[in-house]
Amino acid sequence: MASFTLHGIPVSRGIAIGRAHLLAPAALDVKHYLVPEEHLEAEVTRLREALAAVHRELQTLWNELPKDAPTELGAFIDVHALILSDPLISEAPLDIIRSRHYNAEWALLTQIDELSAQFDEIEDLYLRERKADIQQVAERVLKVLLGSEPLQPRAEAGADDFQAQMVVVAHDISPADMLKFRDRSFIGFVTDVGGQNSHTAIVARSLDIPAAVGMSQASTLIEQDDWVIIDGDAGVVIANPSALVLEQYRERQMAQTRARKKLNKLKKTAAVTRDGTPITLLANIELPEDCATAMEAGANGVGLFRSEFLFMGRDARIPSEDEQFEQYKKAVVAMKGRPVTIRTLDIGADKPLDQTEHTALNPALGLRAIRYCLAEPQLFLSQLRAILRASAFGKVRILIPMLAHAFEIDQSLAMIEQAKRQLRDAGQKFDANVDVGAMIEIPAAALALPMFVKRMDFLSIGTNDLIQYTLAIDRVDYEVAHLYNPLHPAVLQLIAMTISAGHKAGIDVAVCGEMAGDVKLTRLLLGMGLREFSMHPAQLLSVKQEILNSDLGLIVPQTRKVMRAMEPGAIADAVAALQAM
Ligand code: PEP
Ligand code: MG
């Protein structure tokens, strides 16, 4: 098999070496997990029984055909019965269960995907169209399988070698679908599309597994079961590597594991610069379960709880106030008194509530985040009540995304007061002095800070969107990914202005966008005066190490030089000098 290399966008660090698992979009709709060795034969039987049940179903259909039914109908049933008996459907998926340990649904879909690809290449139109029949037969079998949930346990992540070997290769994965990978044992992700700070990339980083996106043709060039190396630091994917290349990457992988182990020693060390300035390191989380890793990494609290992930991947059923309250409370309790900053629903753009929902003409500029919430006051109020109720169990802060207008701030604050009144009337407990903050992520907000600092208790800079909106590039679109530049002087000015305006007004300012977790930018942000960084727990210790090695006395004057520079070369040189100090 020929080796080839693809270049894309690095989104989640580290090296993954494994076998490709090509994910067809339909495959995401069924469960897929690995079956432990001792339950393989039971899983094979489950699929066999499902195939037999569909046989019986087709037989019944045939028997019950009305006498005057068109002959084509009977012929259709015959074709489906023939397909079902073909060893490619009746035997091959059973082998996949045995050899790859896939569950029945996944094994069947894998085989169907392979067959479909072969059918696509057939020139004869009539034969090519038989692909639809195969898919219909598969759907019948899947339906039967759905009604026969397996009793056997799933294999635990890392339990066996075969599990530590699968890399997902897909055209695209939505942020909601990424969440489904949390309990699975994939070790890396490659997608054809996507940008550095798309939410899919962000979830990959929070799972702390190597990923590269914007690979353009990866899902067509890489074949099922190909050996694949993902270099998540360089954004490079090597398919079918030679033994020599494989060896080199294994060595790099081992070196990275050793470096991470060393970092672990910093977990309990306070984040203080060399000159004695304390820095607050917070965690970004998507679900309350992430609090465990945040605590484990020694985070001082949660700086960004992306609450919309509780709303996604639920077939558009919105979680009730009580359901939300339980989740927020779980996070608050898990953080043991450390503050938890819950961002209100930031739905829209690349995080639709429902995959099938109609998309706005320009989703990133559409009814997103606070705009959506103000248009859906009942939904917003129920979230606010749930958050407030959680504040009875620990320190909670409310963060509002995508504010730009004074009336949006005022309406948000008024709705928080309304939610408080409703809770008081219902006799529910909450922290009446809960802090409310604004995300600064629209350039208009960064240019109108007096409007914000006078109304808000704290600010949090969302650099991901601030860059997107300042530079007018869709953060999800890989064709403009090369223009996504955190070091553009306009972006740097907006960040520095926000930090200094917040501090002058005596309120806390954090950065919770991806820039906060990028060690190459830690000193620059420190030099701008930033004292609160919020990032994925996996990035926290590297940033802490950088802080421990930084001296503000040296960094501040050099940061001024960065801020004065206007040419890309001069900015890069000045930032490199900062890092070398
Ligand atoms: C941001 O925009 O920087 C941010 C933190 O929010 P999100 O990435 O969820 O849009
Ligand atoms: Mg944002």
Side-chain angles (χ1 to χ4, degrees), residues 194-265:
Q196 160 97 90
N197 288 324
S198 61
H199 284 92
T200 303
I202 288 175
V203 179
R205 273 198 286 280
S206 85
L207 295 173
D208 197 18
I209 44 182
V213 302
M215 284 288 167
S216 151
Q217 296 282 320
S219 73
T220 37
L221 295 174
I222 297 173
E223 289 182 18
Q224 182 76 16
D225 281 334
D226 274 357
W227 275 97
V228 166
I229 298 173
I230 303 179
D231 181 341
D233 301 297
V236 167
V237 170
I238 306 168
N240 307 312
S242 67
L244 187 67
V245 170
L246 203 56
E247 183 56 29
Q248 282 169 347
Y249 271 96
R250 283 204 199 283
E251 272 172 26
R252 272 184 58 192
Q253 204 178 25
M254 281 188 310
Q256 285 182 349
T257 310
R258 282 195 298 273
R260 282 197 190 201
K261 276 203 181 123
K262 231 165 111 190
L263 272 182
N264 280 341
K265 296 194 180 124

Side-chain angles (χ1 to χ4, degrees), residues 47-61:
L47 182 51
R48 265 219 183 99
E49 285 174 357
L51 292 163
V54 174
H55 251 305
R56 286 195 297 276
E57 232 175 72
L58 291 174
Q59 190 62 50
T60 313
L61 268 178

Side-chain angles (χ1 to χ4, degrees), residues 233-498:
D233 301 297
V236 167
V237 170
I238 306 168
N240 307 312
S242 67
L244 187 67
V245 170
L246 203 56
E247 183 56 29
Q248 282 169 347
Y249 271 96
R250 283 204 199 283
E251 272 172 26
R252 272 184 58 192
Q253 204 178 25
M254 281 188 310
Q256 285 182 349
T257 310
R258 282 195 298 273
R260 282 197 190 201
K261 276 203 181 123
K262 231 165 111 190
L263 272 182
N264 280 341
K265 296 194 180 124
L266 296 180
K267 276 182 187 166
K268 296 212 166 89
T269 312
V272 181
T273 56
R274 274 213 212 133
D275 53 289
T277 308
I279 307 296
T280 304
L281 295 183
L282 303 163
N284 288 358
I285 64 167
E286 273 95 44
L287 291 174
E289 290 73 39
D290 299 337
C291 288
T293 37
M295 288 295 280
E296 169 74 15
N300 301 118
V302 169
L304 174 65
F305 180 167
R306 289 185 162 96
S307 71
E308 56 277 8
F309 280 88
L310 297 176
F311 289 66
M312 287 155 54
R314 302 170 49 100
D315 302 325
R317 198 178 62 78
I318 285 166
S320 68
E321 177 186 326
D322 282 346
E323 277 175 273
Q324 287 185 60
F325 160 65
E326 289 301 336
Q327 299 295 317
Y328 302 143
K329 179 180 157 191
K330 211 192 263 177
V332 172
V333 170
M335 292 312 292
K336 301 195 165 99
R338 293 169 178 80
V340 176
T341 313
I342 304 176
R343 179 174 71 185
T344 57
L345 194 57
D346 183 0
I347 216 73
D350 68 331
K351 290 178 290 191
L353 204 48
D354 174 0
Q355 299 290 339
T356 59
E357 99 188 358
H358 104 104
T359 33
L361 279 179
N362 206 334
L365 302 180
L367 197 64
R368 191 192 148 182
I370 191 61
R371 303 169 179 184
Y372 182 92
C373 287
L374 293 177
E376 297 281 348
Q378 291 314 322
L379 179 134
F380 193 33
L381 275 173
S382 106
Q383 176 172 43
L384 291 172
R385 287 193 302 270
I387 298 175
L388 285 165
R389 283 166 61 191
S391 72
F393 296 85
K395 175 90 181 138
V396 167
R397 307 194 305 170
I398 300 176
L399 180 59
I400 318 274
M402 262 197 100
L403 289 166
H405 303 270
F407 80 87
E408 288 171 332
I409 311 177
D410 293 338
Q411 278 185 13
S412 303
L413 292 173
M415 290 194 67
I416 293 171
E417 287 313 309
Q418 191 180 345
K420 285 182 185 172
R421 273 197 304 280
Q422 291 172 335
L423 290 179
R424 263 187 218 109
D425 292 347
Q428 303 262 28
K429 285 200 195 117
F430 62 92
D431 172 7
N433 298 316
V434 68
D435 283 346
V436 182
M439 299 256 330
I440 302 296
E441 52 185 348
I442 297 183
L447 292 167
L449 290 159
M451 197 162 91
F452 284 82
V453 295
K454 100 175 201 222
R455 290 171 166 90
M456 289 297 186
D457 300 311
F458 66 97
L459 303 178
S460 192
I461 309 175
T463 51
N464 308 337
D465 279 316
L466 190 61
I467 298 168
Q468 156 165 272
Y469 296 123
T470 305
L471 302 179
I473 27 145
D474 189 336
R475 60 198 263 195
V476 181
D477 186 349
Y478 74 101
E479 288 184 314
V480 288
H482 61 290
L483 302 174
Y484 194 94
N485 179 16
L487 292 179
H488 189 291
V491 173
L492 297 182
Q493 299 296 335
L494 293 174
I495 297 173
M497 276 161 51
T498 308

